[in-house]
Amino acid sequence: MATRKSPPKSSVLLVGAGGTLGRAVQKELATRHRVIAASRKGKHKVDITDSASIRRLFEQLGKVDAIACAAGHVHFGALADMTEALFAVGLRDKLMGQVNLAMIGRDWLNDGGSITLITGILAEQPIRYGTSASMVNGALEAFVRAAAIELPRGIRINAVSPNVFAESMPGYAPFFRGFEAIPVARAALAYSRSIEGAQTGQIYRVY
Ligand SMILES: NC(=O)c1ccc[n+]([C@@H]2O[C@H](COP(=O)([O-])OP(=O)(O)OC[C@H]3O[C@@H](n4cnc5c(N)ncnc54)[C@H](OP(=O)(O)O)[C@@H]3O)[C@@H](O)[C@H]2O)c1
């Protein structure tokens, strides 16, 4: 019987690798890929709200096979209290931070590489205080669907849209009453589908 060689390890840049989601994604991918962990602190520094820092990181790293993001912040607050400045937090961080990561990163991806962004259930299932999160997640999902049809060189792009994580419920439970929290490891599997699968323009809902 012919023996099958396992494919060579690919390099995955994972932004937000130290967070609740990032740690789970790293655990899921680490045995099969070379995961480059990045965030605002640590060896590979990047702040997704700062395009220059995204460029600097890629100049240091060189080409990669996959870019995955598990970072992105929005302001949570009552609609009555939301201001232009508070909406701008999510636009600058979770929305444009990830869009810029994708747009700058695309030139640093090998042919056939992939981009995986993070959204969340609030795109479809709103909660009180979540207007900015819903708006930003919805915009990201529309960006992913649209960018997928224009990305060159076989580069794919997908988003992972998880339910609230069981691991985050100690802090989030009062805002997510009645939601069926998922183990964060399930959300990490969707990163594996995006990076190791063949689809593009997908929103992997992990509810
Ligand atoms: N928690 C949930 O239940 C849940 C559910 C659905 C979706 N999500 C989404 O999943 C994402 C991650 O959530 P999480 O709960 O895992 O967050 P988290 O535990 O706070 O982790 C965030 C990670 O991102 C890094 N980070 C923060 N701001 C950054 C920036 N500007 N540039 C680069 N890295 C940055 C942080 O490290 P440094 O401080 O070192 O930068 C940290 O490693 C968020 O977009 C969130 O909306 C979360």
Side-chain angles (χ1 to χ4, degrees), residues 53-64:
S53 98
I54 300 175
R55 281 193 198 91
R56 269 197 305 278
L57 177 68
F58 282 113
E59 279 157 14
Q60 284 159 17
L61 295 178
K63 292 238 171 174
V64 296

Side-chain angles (χ1 to χ4, degrees), residues 140-195:
L140 277 164
E141 294 182 6
F143 169 75
V144 162
R145 278 190 291 268
I149 64 170
E150 288 194 57
L151 279 169
R153 300 186 287 112
I155 293 171
R156 300 179 297 104
I157 184 166
N158 298 298
V160 174
S161 178
N163 205 326
V164 65
F165 307 141
E167 291 80 355
S168 300
M169 281 307 250
Y172 290 3
F175 306 100
F176 285 89
R177 293 288 177 222
F179 281 68
E180 211 172 329
I182 58 153
V184 68
R186 275 191 59 208
L189 281 175
Y191 280 76
S192 165
R193 275 184 81 184
S194 174
I195 293 166

Side-chain angles (χ1 to χ4, degrees), residues 16 18-21 39-41 46-48 70-72 94 118 165 168:
T20 306
L21 175 60
S39 73
R40 291 169 301 183
K41 301 174 215 117
V46 67
D47 180 345
I48 57 169
K94 189 166 182 177
I118 180 69
F165 307 141
S168 300

Side-chain angles (χ1 to χ4, degrees), residues 23 91 102 117 154 164 181:
R23 286 194 304 273
L91 297 180
L117 305 184
V164 65

Side-chain angles (χ1 to χ4, degrees), residues 101-164:
L101 181 69
M103 295 298 288
I104 295 166
R106 122 198 102 154
D107 295 332
W108 293 92
L109 274 171
N110 289 320
D111 291 359
S114 69
I115 300 166
T116 307
L117 305 184
I118 180 69
T119 66
I121 192 170
L122 301 185
E124 295 201 328
Q125 308 278 336
I127 58 167
R128 273 189 210 96
Y129 312 127
T131 345
S132 177
S134 293
M135 178 178 78
V136 161
N137 288 343
L140 277 164
E141 294 182 6
F143 169 75
V144 162
R145 278 190 291 268
I149 64 170
E150 288 194 57
L151 279 169
R153 300 186 287 112
I155 293 171
R156 300 179 297 104
I157 184 166
N158 298 298
V160 174
S161 178
N163 205 326
V164 65

